[in-house]
Amino acid sequence: MDHDETGCQAPPEGPILCVNNCGFFGSVATMNMCSKCYKDAVLKQEQAKLAASSIENIVNGSSSGNNGKEPIVVDKVDVQVKPVEQKLVSLPESTAPSGSEESGDAKPNKGPNRCTTCKKRVGLTGFNCRCGNLFCAMHRYSDKHECPFDYRTAAQNAIAKANPVIKAEKLDKI
């Protein structure tokens, strides 16, 4: 069967390169341009139409040419800016440079991280407990290092906070 008889178009022989030679493939629907070049071309056409209509309005000196369909372009926008107050932020003493030795509250744990129970070096593999101490893999569990943290009270408080008591209002008897 011939394609002319059925009304269908024959498929193209191969992909069509963009007419702007950008290296991408174009299509017939986008005037043989790639999607980016097509968007740019449409944007340029809209800007040209807008510029032509604004020039026409300026030359004619009337605003009756604007039917409300075209956007209005404003050359200058007045924006009031409040003055910015400068605030001086002071660093905590623990982050002060090491050259200042006058702060006696600095952490003495400048050396390697060690387990609180066995003093083994743990490095980056140490475990922080809820009691605030650092432990090795052997002493990380609360029953292995005699943890003073009260897990039961903490769990009860968390449950009480997550599930508040809800009371319905009493109904008036008829």
Side-chain angles (χ1 to χ4, degrees), residues 17 108 123 167:
L17 287 175
K167 275 189 171 181

Side-chain angles (χ1 to χ4, degrees), residues 39-166:
K39 276 195 239 180
D40 291 342
V42 169
L43 185 64
K44 283 182 183 178
Q45 288 176 353
E46 289 177 0
Q47 287 177 349
K49 287 180 185 177
L50 181 63
S53 65
S54 63
I55 290 173
E56 184 179 311
N57 287 341
I58 291 171
V59 170
N60 292 338
S62 65
S63 62
S64 61
N66 195 357
N67 296 336
K69 295 180 181 179
E70 297 177 7
I72 298 173
V73 178
V74 179
D75 290 337
K76 193 183 244 188
V77 178
D78 293 331
V79 179
Q80 295 181 0
V81 178
K82 296 180 182 177
V84 177
E85 296 180 17
Q86 294 182 353
K87 294 184 180 180
L88 189 62
V89 178
S90 62
L91 296 175
E93 292 180 13
S94 62
T95 60
S98 60
S100 62
E101 294 296 328
E102 60 190 50
S103 62
D105 297 336
K107 290 186 176 181
N109 190 7
K110 296 286 183 181
N113 296 335
R114 295 186 179 270
C115 174
T116 307
T117 304
C118 66
K119 306 298 183 210
K120 178 181 174 183
R121 293 177 92 181
V122 291
L124 297 175
T125 61
F127 295 93
N128 289 320
C129 182
R130 285 186 172 181
C131 64
N133 296 324
L134 185 70
F135 297 100
C136 64
M138 184 71 83
H139 297 108
R140 69 179 174 173
Y141 299 111
S142 61
D143 59 335
K144 298 293 181 183
H145 68 265
E146 299 171 5
C147 186
F149 188 78
D150 190 8
Y151 287 92
R152 182 176 178 173
T153 306
Q156 286 176 346
N157 291 340
I159 290 172
K161 187 176 179 180
N163 301 315
V165 177
I166 300 173

Side-chain angles (χ1 to χ4, degrees), residues 1-23:
M1 287 177 81
D2 192 17
H3 289 286
D4 294 334
E5 294 174 5
T6 60
C8 295
Q9 295 179 353
E13 290 80 29
I16 303 169
L17 287 175
C18 178
V19 294
N20 289 339
N21 294 326
C22 64

